[in-house]
Amino acid sequence: MIAELPGFRHPLAELVGWDERVRLMVRPRRFEHVLRVAELACRIARANGLDEARAYAAGILHDIARDLPDAELLRLAPPECPIDSAHPLALHGRAARTLLERWGYADRVVLEAVEDHTTGPRGGNPVAACVYVADVSEPGRGVNDDIRELALRDLEAALNCAIVSKVTYLQGRGIQVHPRTLRAYQALSCGGQPAAITAPAGGSLAPTAPDPHPPT
């Protein structure tokens, strides 16, 4: 079922069959989202001269734990902070990594991208940046088109916009920001200063529709 993308070569033979496993683990609409994220992450990686195969792989695998019950998420990814306990869905990135490792998936670059897609890349992994941006801006969401287009020209700027947008959105509504997201925000190349980030002409940095993921 791996998508046939123009000019796409997949050197990760171990991904074969994983997309079918993901399809069986998530709801049909979620799987449609997964495929869109994988294809967009691949496009972003290609446009920025990065590892498009690993970006695609991480996109396919990122939501494998998204539809698990809360109790299973808590078992696979013990809470690190009160937000994790109160909102177990915030754990689905870490839980996904745990599952994949237990099932024998071993590419650390991909695993880190899967883990970090809910709270933001920790730095030093451009594949994680591709997947994070693709996840918040894939066309099916209906928001963040400006961030998606920016990512095809300048991934770092798009990542800055995506993280600043999320933190600003949550703080503006009095929602506690996950500590991992705050660390990603503080590590931005802009120094975590919203004033330093501007949207492309005619765009908006704030999400314009509810995010399917929990507050993070």
Side-chain angles (χ1 to χ4, degrees):
M1 291 182 62
I2 294 175
E4 293 296 331
L5 299 176
F8 183 73
R9 297 189 306 276
H10 207 298
L12 302 178
E14 66 268 27
L15 184 63
V16 175
W18 282 103
D19 57 340
E20 178 63 14
R21 184 174 293 200
V22 173
R23 187 185 68 80
L24 294 173
M25 290 279 293
V26 302
R27 299 167 188 167
R29 288 188 64 183
R30 182 84 55 207
F31 190 63
E32 293 172 5
H33 160 76
V34 163
L35 291 177
R36 290 193 298 267
V37 170
E39 293 188 20
L40 179 56
C42 179
R43 286 179 55 209
I44 291 171
R46 181 188 299 131
N48 289 273
L50 301 172
D51 191 332
E52 60 192 75
R54 284 184 168 83
Y56 184 83
I60 284 289
L61 299 171
H62 81 284
D63 265 355
I64 195 168
R66 176 61 172 75
D67 290 338
L68 292 178
D70 288 354
E72 183 67 2
L73 292 172
L74 291 164
R75 186 184 70 83
L76 290 167
E80 295 178 337
C81 64
I83 293 177
D84 291 341
S85 299
H87 303 283
L89 204 53
L91 297 168
H92 74 272
R94 286 176 52 212
R97 178 172 186 164
T98 300
L99 274 181
L100 292 168
E101 289 178 327
R102 289 182 180 180
W103 292 341
Y105 195 89
D107 189 310
R108 294 179 64 85
V109 171
V110 172
L111 289 169
E112 184 176 295
V114 169
E115 177 179 354
D116 288 353
H117 86 272
T118 55
T119 51
R122 285 169 285 180
N125 184 345
V127 169
C130 291
V131 174
Y132 184 84
V133 171
D135 187 36
V136 302
S137 67
E138 60 92 353
R141 286 196 184 276
V143 295
N144 296 325
D145 295 354
D146 49 349
I147 291 177
R148 180 173 67 250
E149 294 305 315
L150 180 60
L152 297 173
R153 306 190 307 272
D154 187 336
L155 175 58
E156 183 177 13
L159 179 63
N160 286 353
C161 286
I163 294 177
V164 168
S165 172
K166 189 167 202 175
V167 171
T168 302
Y169 178 82
L170 295 174
Q171 290 182 335
R173 285 156 181 76
I175 301 171
Q176 189 176 6
V177 181
H178 196 284
R180 286 193 179 206
T181 303
L182 279 178
R183 287 195 290 271
Y185 174 71
Q186 292 162 355
L188 294 177
S189 61
C190 64
Q193 297 299 319
I197 300 298
T198 58
S204 171
L205 292 181
T208 56
D211 190 327
H213 290 319
T216 55

